[in-house]
Amino acid sequence: MIEDPEASEITDWPQIANNYWVLLSRLEDPAFDGQGLQPPLEEDRVFVIGINALGFSRKGLDLSTKTEEWRRGYHTALMKAALSAEHLTECVRDTTRNITFPKEYMIGPSNPRPKPVPLESYAAPLEGNCVPASETPQTFYTKLLTTTGFSTGQRLDAALAYADWLDFKGLHDTAEEVYDWGLDIAMGALPMGANNAVDIQTGIISSNATYVSQNILRATTALAIHHARNNNLSAALPILLSVLRSRKQLSLPPIPKASPATESEPSNWQIIVSWVKNIVISPPYPPPPPTGDEVPVRSHKAMCEEAAVMAHVGEILFASSSVTEKPASRATRSSDTARKQQSGLSWTRDAVDISESILTSMDQDDIDGRQTCTECLETGINNWSKMVRKILKEQQDVVDIKEEKPGTGKGWFWGGKSIQEEEEEEGRWECELELVDSRMSTVQRLIEREANAKKQRSPGGIFGFFS
């Protein structure tokens, strides 16, 4: 377990990582579950270029002889191992005590000012006794991206997770390259004649695209969010708008057939027989998920994803008001700034309304869809609250300055607003803030209800460990 006294919740990432390493060793061992595994027959040109540029050498395997169920489990194990490695990148393991510590506590030349260890904790480790707590995340992501036999969606999962981690570590240029690789993966699976669906230079989906797969939507959205995180708003906004246009053009799902009349409740004897059968006979393996190469339908989950894109657009529009605003007097708010802020706020309101409406009407069995809607709703309502508070604070500053200097920004000749008009504007945003706080309470109850339902659905004990 990581010895970190300041952590609010302790997760035993070293043990979790070790469990996945053991699992991967067994899956790749020819004496156990690795019969028939071979090195890849052909190297993916795109990824070989990227790996050589980044200095990696480890390669994946050829899984063509394995079943889809085996490949799916192997992919999950590699992804979980990569996630565990992400949490252990700044940790070391004291080999003399087999205890994992955050690197900031280690005493040695590479850490000349170690953080003091609390009295109730173990003694600080010495650098000479320490080794890295885990393989690097690159090791597992590289293995995922060079393995033959994964579906397009599985390879895209690895690329986007890897790029997101690189962004988190501040390697933004490298992350953008990996996002581009993810887009190449998605485009490589399109049918013949549909390869011009996306402008590979900008990531914008063409308005004339006839085949836009789920993987294309995922890859372009992730690329846009990467641009937004790095303040490249002019590149992010056109991509998101093209994604939104493509999502609105999706076909509605087919109308489900009428369900047959419900049968009578099973008897106690039937319940016992069913229970015994489930113990003796293994249940069927879950069906494979979609590869992502198909054009999605405009389902409830897709509409929640659409609302999430709207929330991103609103956030970018609102943020652009600060980027483009000139350092003028604080006694005024330019009309361009106000217009962009209100436009971003409008997009965010719509995203909250849509996600809340869909969440309350969505089928309880649509677990993934409800999770997507919950995340969108939580993000949207938080953004809405922050936006209104920022506008209100700016408006209060304007009023305060004008009250201190009555002649500032006032008068019909200069086109400025009077103090009364500014106070009325301030009152409007105070009312909006009250509305947001009210909606926040409602949304919070919805989110808590979803969290409780998720806990009830989650399996416990040994069967829930790898979920």
Side-chain angles (χ1 to χ4, degrees):
M1 181 176 294
I2 299 177
E3 183 59 27
D4 187 358
E6 296 185 2
S8 57
E9 294 183 4
I10 297 178
T11 301
D12 199 348
W13 286 110
Q15 183 60 49
I16 293 173
N18 183 72
N19 289 343
Y20 281 113
W21 299 338
V22 172
L23 175 60
L24 287 171
S25 298
R26 180 183 177 90
L27 289 173
E28 296 177 358
D29 191 341
F32 292 97
D33 298 319
Q35 302 93 339
L37 294 179
Q38 299 292 334
L41 298 178
E42 296 182 2
E43 294 180 330
D44 190 321
R45 179 182 62 83
V46 173
F47 288 107
V48 168
I49 293 173
I51 290 165
N52 290 340
L54 297 174
F56 304 142
S57 59
R58 294 190 64 177
K59 299 178 181 179
L61 301 170
D62 182 5
L63 313 182
S64 57
T65 61
K66 292 297 185 180
T67 64
E68 188 281 329
E69 293 83 1
W70 191 98
R71 295 196 299 269
R72 203 189 325 167
Y74 183 63
H75 178 270
T76 300
L78 280 173
M79 290 291 287
K80 296 294 187 181
L83 177 63
S84 303
E86 289 183 17
H87 286 84
L88 296 174
T89 52
E90 297 299 325
C91 294
V92 294
R93 182 172 63 87
D94 187 336
T95 56
T96 62
R97 295 175 289 172
N98 197 29
I99 300 175
T100 302
F101 291 84
K103 195 180 296 183
E104 59 187 1
Y105 291 108
M106 183 181 67
I107 301 174
S110 66
N111 189 32
R113 295 182 179 179
K115 190 174 182 178
V117 176
L119 295 177
E120 66 274 11
S121 177
Y122 292 99
L126 302 178
E127 185 171 357
N129 299 331
C130 292
V131 296
S134 168
E135 292 274 4
T136 64
Q138 293 98 317
T139 300
F140 300 105
Y141 286 127
T142 302
K143 199 173 185 69
L144 280 157
L145 294 172
T146 56
T147 291
T148 302
F150 288 143
S151 69
T152 310
Q154 289 171 331
R155 295 178 68 198
L156 184 59
D157 286 341
L160 298 186
Y162 185 22
D164 185 65
W165 180 76
L166 290 170
D167 247 343
F168 173 74
K169 298 299 289 184
L171 303 172
H172 304 304
D173 292 339
T174 308
E176 186 165 340
E177 292 180 8
V178 178
Y179 280 118
D180 289 338
W181 294 340
L183 187 55
D184 288 339
I185 291 173
M187 292 182 64
L190 294 178
M192 293 295 294
N195 293 336
N196 59 348
V198 181
D199 185 338
I200 59 174
Q201 298 297 325
T202 62
I204 298 174
I205 301 175
S206 171
S207 59
N208 299 321
T210 57
Y211 196 100
V212 181
S213 68
Q214 175 68 16
N215 287 333
I216 290 291
L217 295 173
R218 289 179 57 205
T220 50
T221 301
L223 178 61
I225 294 173
H226 160 76
H227 285 313
R229 285 175 178 170
N230 293 281
N231 295 322
N232 191 0
L233 305 183
S234 60
L237 188 57
I239 299 176
L240 288 177
L241 292 176
S242 71
V243 170
L244 190 60
R245 179 185 59 227
S246 298
R247 286 193 171 278
K248 288 185 178 295
Q249 293 174 351
L250 297 177
S251 303
L252 294 174
I255 301 175
K257 297 180 180 179
S259 57
T262 57
E263 300 178 357
S264 58
E265 294 185 2
S267 63
N268 292 336
W269 174 250
Q270 290 174 320
I271 293 175
I272 295 174
V273 171
S274 176
W275 180 76
V276 173
K277 185 185 296 185
N278 290 335
I279 294 177
V280 177
I281 302 174
S282 299
Y285 203 80
T291 63
D293 297 332
E294 311 83 5
V295 177
V297 295
R298 204 157 183 254
S299 61
H300 278 159
K301 180 183 178 182
M303 285 189 282
C304 279
E305 292 171 344
E306 182 181 312
V309 174
M310 295 174 65
H312 289 309
V313 171
E315 191 172 359
I316 289 174
L317 288 173
F318 193 90
S320 66
S321 66
S322 300
V323 173
T324 60
E325 186 176 11
K326 296 180 180 179
S329 170
R330 294 176 59 200
T332 64
R333 290 175 67 241
S334 69
S335 59
D336 184 60
T337 297
R339 179 179 57 81
K340 289 181 178 179
Q341 287 180 338
Q342 293 183 23
S343 179
L345 201 56
S346 177
W347 280 85
T348 305
R349 285 195 208 101
D350 291 344
V352 171
D353 291 340
I354 291 173
S355 54
E356 184 177 4
S357 174
I358 295 174
L359 181 60
T360 54
S361 60
M362 186 179 289
D363 189 346
Q364 291 291 335
D365 295 332
D366 190 354
I367 299 175
D368 290 340
R370 298 190 73 87
Q371 177 67 20
T372 301
C373 255
T374 302
E375 292 174 356
C376 174
L377 182 58
E378 186 172 16
T379 300
I381 195 67
N382 287 332
N383 285 351
W384 187 2
S385 177
K386 291 176 182 177
M387 290 175 183
V388 173
R389 292 178 191 280
K390 184 177 187 298
I391 294 175
L392 181 57
K393 176 65 168 59
E394 292 175 354
Q395 192 64 37
Q396 289 172 340
D397 290 343
V398 170
V399 173
D400 291 343
I401 292 174
K402 287 191 175 184
E403 288 178 345
E404 292 174 3
K405 301 178 181 179
T408 306
K410 181 180 178 182
W412 66 269
F413 183 80
W414 298 106
K417 292 183 180 180
S418 65
I419 294 179
Q420 182 178 356
E421 290 173 325
E422 297 288 4
E423 289 176 343
E424 290 175 355
E425 185 78 7
E426 180 183 352
R428 172 197 168 191
W429 292 114
E430 288 175 346
C431 292
E432 175 101 4
L433 183 58
E434 292 178 2
L435 172 63
V436 174
D437 290 341
S438 176
R439 290 288 295 274
M440 182 80 78
S441 301
T442 304
V443 167
Q444 193 61 41
R445 288 195 295 269
L446 278 174
I447 293 173
E448 290 175 358
R449 187 184 69 185
E450 288 300 314
N452 293 333
K454 184 178 180 180
K455 289 180 181 179
Q456 294 175 2
R457 289 192 297 261
S458 299
I462 179 175
F463 298 102
F465 181 79
F466 292 104
S467 60

